[in-house]
Amino acid sequence: MRVLVLAVLAAWLGFGFNTASAEVTHPPLEAYGDLPSIRYMALSPDGSIVAFAERREGADYLVTFDFATRQKTYHVKIDDVATRDIWFADEENIVILASETKFVIGFRGEFEYSGAFSFSLKTKKLTFLLRGTDDIYPAQGDLGRIVGDDANPGYIFMPAYVGDRYSHPNYSLLRVNLKTGKGRRFKSGVDNTVDWFVDKDGTVLAREDYNNTTDTYRVYTYVNGKRELIYELETSQLPPGVTGIKADRSALLFSDGSDADDSGNVYELDFSGQLTPASLGGKGGTIERIIKDGNRFVLGVEYSGAVPSYKFYDPDVDAAVSGMVNQFSTASVNLVSWTDDWSKLLYLIYGSDTPGSYVLQDRETGQMMLVADERDNIPPDAIGQMVSVNYKARDGLNIPSILTWPAGVDIETASKLPLVVMPHGGPESYDAVGFDWMAQFFANRGYLVLQPNFRGSSGYGTEHRILGKGEWGGGMQDDITDGVQTLVEQGLADPTRVCIVGASYGGYAALAGGAFTPDLYKCVVAIAPVSDIRPLLVDVKWDNGRKHWALDYWQENIGDLDEEREKLDAISPARAADKFTAPVLLIHGNDDTVVPIKQSEIMERALEKAGKDVTFLELEGEDHWMSDGDTRIDALRAMATFIDQHIGAEAE
């Protein structure tokens, strides 16, 4: 019998863990499906105010809150595109990163177009950065990148392709005026330049190039006033490369992308080209992110896991952050912003008593302040208790996961609960403690929710991640199956009421569950799924070229398009439509640029041809991530109706 190991995550505010609640609030579906009330909160450089996106009556606004006056100011509506991030360029200027799916006449296909805006707190003017800049190439997606602050307030550094549609554009570094939005070329790159690293004084510390044709990656520096090649690597895939700049400006932080260890194989690359192992602290674990300032000078690291931990080079900062993590030891403490002098730090904290709370730590006074809740319409008693779960797969591999209990259910006596299995996307991603809007909605409605970090997931070590290579539809899928069977064997889940729900790779896993373990699931929900792998790889090849590193990456992780056709067909759910017994709900945005909507169309046709029960909800104007609140609500409503019908109380 498989053993389920539970490590209970207690309430983060110290109220203790409640195994049952006498009263459970059931917020409306819209409270979960809509975007959070507060998003992307950031501290100003001096810590006097915070800026954030606030959702009111279905629209987003840029808002600031002044700590001294306790006044909240609504500045401008930012609802026409999907907001992705907000931060301060300086005391006067707020930067808003946004994106939308775009089609440019004369260029092939749609692409995800990002752009950046600056908002002046002084003039109240919103400016589209780089608009009106001479020779900006028209069909480029990542136009909102900001890679450095200038020493002169009101200016930043941004990379962009420069050149008209009839010439070979080059990826250059531009110095951009936040007031006018216009940029001037600061340093010229080439067509295969991929990134720039620049100091506030304008010194270009690094330029990265990657040539798909020759599979050559190079790092140049300009520290001596001229371009010098300091590193070269032959590789069929673009490596992580330069990840930041050492704080004393003596070297670059660099990773070649190899799987040597859980640190990400990070080195110091000095400006003479010498590599030495980097010491990033002593707390261990897999590095989730390297924490950097606006010019990407490295300040510390965040380690992954069910809840994050940190290590900073500055011992005082390290002590302050460690104090917060230790105080809320069973919660997920996410550092999101800080002042220039690190006197104030802003955290977003998730736990079983909060749907996400922004908390300000003042190091000078030692005080903490609750600034705002991410969702103000979901009370603590409505939240399903999150549990860290480990179970053994059939080959003995440990599978770390998150289990969310139905709100108000007594964990010690619960049994035969309806189960929703939610494999994550990626697949090189992972689920951790946090407010997952889908998981929490179903937990609030009485469902047990399992989110397994199957082999191939990141966040739990290099070995766990690389074990997923070549295991789509194989070991990765078996890990999900084994999680369901473990819960059934332990008496926690009702084997007659199990549904699998996933998005992106998770959508593939949901369809694979319906196709390859048809007796396990009573319903299948697949959001933006991959259904037929060969056409997907053909699209990657068509969009990027046969020599592109993206094709090499996917073939390495799934299978070779030319040499493993039978394998790819065997693990494609659309080619096993006749095996389905459970009804299927497909959901896909028609502006998805990551997984084309035709993948759902292929699945729908295959199921209909096989005489199976299938429903297809197409989301108008929606992207891969369901970034629009209205369409997310529509999708959740369809899922709720579908799952209730097949494994809910009325289905018994």
Side-chain angles (χ1 to χ4, degrees), residues 112-158:
E112 190 70 15
Y113 173 86
S114 75
F117 301 80
S118 66
F119 179 79
S120 171
L121 292 171
K122 183 177 181 180
T123 67
K124 310 301 181 184
K125 182 182 178 182
L126 186 69
T127 303
F128 190 2
L129 301 180
L130 293 181
R131 175 172 285 179
T133 299
D134 293 339
D135 296 329
I136 289 292
Y137 190 67
Q140 56 180 304
D142 204 7
L143 200 57
R145 291 191 65 213
I146 297 174
V147 297
D149 299 324
D150 192 283
N152 295 318
Y155 290 88
I156 55 173
F157 292 103
M158 300 179 69

Side-chain angles (χ1 to χ4, degrees), residues 165-296:
R165 66 179 67 207
Y166 306 107
S167 62
H168 249 330
N170 59 74
Y171 199 57
S172 295
L173 183 66
L174 291 83
R175 186 170 182 263
V176 182
N177 186 317
L178 291 170
K179 183 181 294 185
T180 66
K182 290 186 177 183
R184 297 185 63 181
R185 193 179 323 207
F186 188 78
K187 224 49 153 174
S188 294
V190 295
D191 59 350
N192 55 41
T193 296
V194 294
D195 206 354
W196 294 88
F197 290 78
V198 59
D199 204 346
K200 282 189 174 185
D201 64 5
T203 302
V204 175
L205 300 171
R207 187 188 100 190
E208 295 180 283
D209 292 0
Y210 180 70
N211 190 316
N212 268 304
T213 303
T214 62
D215 291 339
T216 307
Y217 167 82
R218 295 186 175 97
V219 180
Y220 299 92
T221 187
Y222 296 72
V223 292
N224 295 320
K226 61 180 180 178
R227 189 188 70 190
E228 298 175 285
L229 177 66
I230 59 172
Y231 184 82
E232 184 171 286
L233 176 70
E234 299 298 317
T235 174
S236 61
Q237 296 178 27
L238 179 65
V242 181
T243 57
I245 307 162
K246 198 174 178 184
D248 63 5
R249 207 184 182 195
S250 64
L252 307 169
L253 269 292
F254 174 84
S255 175
D256 61 11
S258 65
D259 294 317
D261 55 51
D262 291 343
S263 70
N265 211 25
V266 179
Y267 300 93
E268 291 182 8
L269 174 64
D270 70 22
F271 297 110
S272 68
Q274 296 298 310
L275 281 174
T276 56
S279 175
L280 293 174
K283 294 190 177 180
T286 302
I287 293 175
E288 172 70 11
R289 65 167 171 149
I290 295 178
I291 300 171
K292 296 164 277 195
D293 67 10
N295 290 75
R296 296 191 281 181

Side-chain angles (χ1 to χ4, degrees), residues 498-579:
V498 182
C499 186
I500 185 166
V501 179
S504 195
Y505 173 82
Y508 164 82
L511 293 175
F516 307 133
T517 51
D519 295 335
L520 199 61
Y521 302 109
K522 299 304 178 185
C523 57
V524 175
V525 180
I527 305 166
V530 174
S531 67
D532 197 352
I533 294 172
R534 275 203 291 132
L536 178 76
L537 294 181
V538 168
D539 284 341
V540 173
K541 182 177 180 180
W542 172 256
D543 291 340
N544 299 284
R546 64 182 181 85
K547 286 285 293 180
H548 199 274
W549 64 267
L551 178 62
D552 183 80
Y553 170 83
W554 286 117
Q555 290 192 136
E556 179 183 305
N557 283 275
I558 308 175
D560 190 275
L561 182 58
D562 298 319
E563 298 179 6
E564 298 179 277
R565 294 168 64 93
E566 290 185 4
K567 173 193 173 182
L568 297 181
D569 288 349
I571 61 175
S572 293
R575 297 176 185 267
D578 60 312
K579 297 180 181 179

